[in-house]
Amino acid sequence: MPLALATSLPALLPQAIAWASAREAEILASGIALTDAELDLARRVGVQAPERIRLALVERVPMPDDPMLQLAVETTELLGANTLGLTLGYGIYLCQGARDARLVSHECRHVQQYEAAGGIAAFLPLYLQQIVRHGYLDAPYEVDARRHEIDA
Ligand SMILES: [Zn+2]
C-alpha cells in the first residue's frame, strides 16, 4: 500500500461517503427488487431488511468522478475493470451476466455489514481502513463476505 494513499484516505472519506450515498439513492430509485430466491439468500446471510435491497444491472460498475478517489479505489483494487459487484448501503451494482447465487449472497452479506455498522457513513470509514491495513482481499469485511457465499 503506497504511504501517500494510506495517509490521504481519511481526507477522501467525505467524498467517498457522498459518492456512495448518491449512488445508493439512484439504485434505490431505479433498481429492481430481489427475486424470492434472492430474498431467501439475503435472509440466510443475516440481512435484517432484505426487501429494501435494490439491484442495478450494469455493463460496468461506475467509478467515482473525483480523480483522487478514483486513484485510491484503483490502487487498492477495490474497484476496477474486473469488478463484478459493488454494494453501497441497500444498493447493489451487479455486472450483467454475473447475477448468480454466489455473487448475490456475497453482496448481500455486505448489506448486512452496512446494517450492523449503522449505514454508509459508519461502514465506509471502517471498510476503507481495513483495506489500507490488510489489502482488499484480506480485509476482514471481505473475508467475512466470502465466508457467507452460498452457491445455490
Ligand atoms: Zn466483497
Side-chain angles (χ1 to χ4, degrees):
M1 173 67 49
L3 180 63
L5 181 61
T7 55
S8 67
L9 199 64
L12 293 171
L13 265 174
Q15 289 99 303
I17 291 167
W19 181 80
S21 301
R23 298 293 78 72
E24 182 202 33
E26 287 174 359
I27 299 171
L28 296 186
S30 60
I32 56 177
L34 299 183
T35 64
D36 286 345
E38 289 166 342
L39 284 168
D40 186 51
L41 289 174
R43 285 186 202 101
R44 286 168 66 189
V45 301
V47 175
Q48 296 294 308
E51 70 285 350
R52 292 183 61 181
I53 296 173
R54 291 294 180 275
L55 305 177
L57 303 178
V58 293
E59 236 168 88
R60 280 192 63 166
V61 172
M63 295 288 281
D65 299 322
D66 182 284
M68 282 299 292
L69 192 54
Q70 197 173 106
L71 185 66
V73 298
E74 280 174 344
T75 308
T76 55
E77 294 171 3
L78 171 53
L79 285 179
N82 298 322
T83 301
L84 294 178
L86 176 68
T87 298
L88 302 166
Y90 286 102
I92 299 176
Y93 286 112
L94 288 183
C95 279
Q96 281 153 7
R99 185 181 184 180
D100 63 14
R102 200 169 69 85
L103 184 59
V104 169
S105 57
H106 179 105
E107 298 305 328
C108 283
R109 182 62 182 180
H110 285 310
V111 173
Q112 185 279 335
Q113 294 165 351
Y114 278 95
E115 285 181 331
I120 287 175
F123 173 80
L124 276 188
L126 302 173
Y127 181 60
L128 296 178
Q129 202 57 249
Q130 287 184 3
I131 287 172
V132 168
R133 195 166 298 155
H134 304 278
Y136 172 69
L137 280 177
D138 294 326
Y141 277 135
E142 283 306 325
V143 173
D144 176 71
R146 286 202 300 278
R147 277 203 194 112
H148 284 81
E149 288 174 359
I150 299 169
D151 272 316

